[in-house]
Every structure is written in C-alpha cells, then in structure tokens.
Amino acid sequence: MKLRYMIEHALRDRIRDPRYEPVGVWVQGSGPGLDLVIEFLPGNTDAREEADWIINRLVENDIRSLPEDFLAYHQTTIPAYRGMRGPIIETDEFSSTDACARLLLDKIASGRIS
C-alpha cells in the first residue's frame, strides 16, 4: 500500500538549548475516505489537540477523501516557535496507515528517530 508520512517535531528548551525533538507522526494512505492517522507520544497535548481539531474540521465539513497534497499543506502550517514537520516520505512497506504510525511512533519513543 502506498503511504506518505511526516514526522512532527516540537521545539524544546527555547532559551537555553533550543532544539527540535520528534514527538509524533502523520500518515496518509491512498485509500478511500479519510485514510489518515496522526499519533503523538504521551505528553504532547498541544500537538494532539491541533491534530484532533484538524480531523474534526474534516468530518464536520463532510470531506470524503483527502487531496494528495494534504500533508504538504499541513507541513507548512506549524509555527516555527512551536515546532516543525519534517519532509514527506513515501513508502510501500506497510499494509496500513495504523501499522506505519505504530512502528514510527515506537522508533521515536526508543530514540531511533531523532
């Protein structure tokens, strides 16, 4: 299955040692409907709330499928003082958006994605 994903990073320690740390993943599938998974590590409430707001807005507006540039658009909507969203990567290694998100989030949690 063809998937696209991007890693979301949060800006940490803005004053003493500013750095971006990976905190979540956005995965878009090519299937029908809202073939989208957005997951975050625990403790990233602001990022989770923004993602929930985006998904709720899609549902409220009765969006039935996502445009191909959905991730590219949202890649640019995060303010730099809060974080960043990394490059969009295409893969066919996974059978579902859930499997992709789960593996990537595990890699982030274990420090294998930095």
Side-chain angles (χ1 to χ4, degrees):
M1 168 181 249
K2 181 181 146 192
L3 302 173
R4 286 186 299 278
Y5 70 86
M6 65 182 172
I7 305 295
E8 182 161 334
H9 298 74
L11 180 61
R12 302 290 194 219
D13 200 3
R14 285 183 233 187
I15 296 173
R16 289 175 288 177
D17 181 27
R19 67 193 178 284
Y20 290 108
E21 291 181 357
V23 297
V25 61
W26 296 51
V27 184
Q28 180 181 0
S30 56
L34 296 180
D35 195 5
L36 176 69
V37 173
I38 307 172
E39 292 293 336
F40 294 94
L41 295 174
N44 292 285
T45 306
D46 290 344
R48 174 80 265 157
E49 287 176 358
E50 181 181 350
D52 288 345
W53 182 81
I54 290 166
I55 292 169
N56 288 339
R57 193 176 67 205
L58 291 168
V59 171
E60 288 169 358
N61 287 304
D62 202 26
I63 303 299
R64 304 244 183 235
S65 63
L66 298 174
E68 192 165 318
D69 66 346
F70 179 82
L71 292 182
Y73 171 79
H74 285 285
Q75 186 181 37
T76 65
T77 62
I78 187 170
Y81 63 83
R82 203 192 96 215
M84 64 166 262
R85 296 184 181 123
I88 297 166
I89 298 168
E90 289 194 15
T91 183
D92 59 1
E93 294 179 42
F94 302 95
S95 60
S96 71
T97 53
D98 288 323
C100 181
R102 214 173 12 258
L103 177 74
L104 293 171
L105 208 56
D106 287 347
K107 285 184 175 187
I108 291 169
S110 68
R112 292 179 285 161
I113 293 179
S114 56

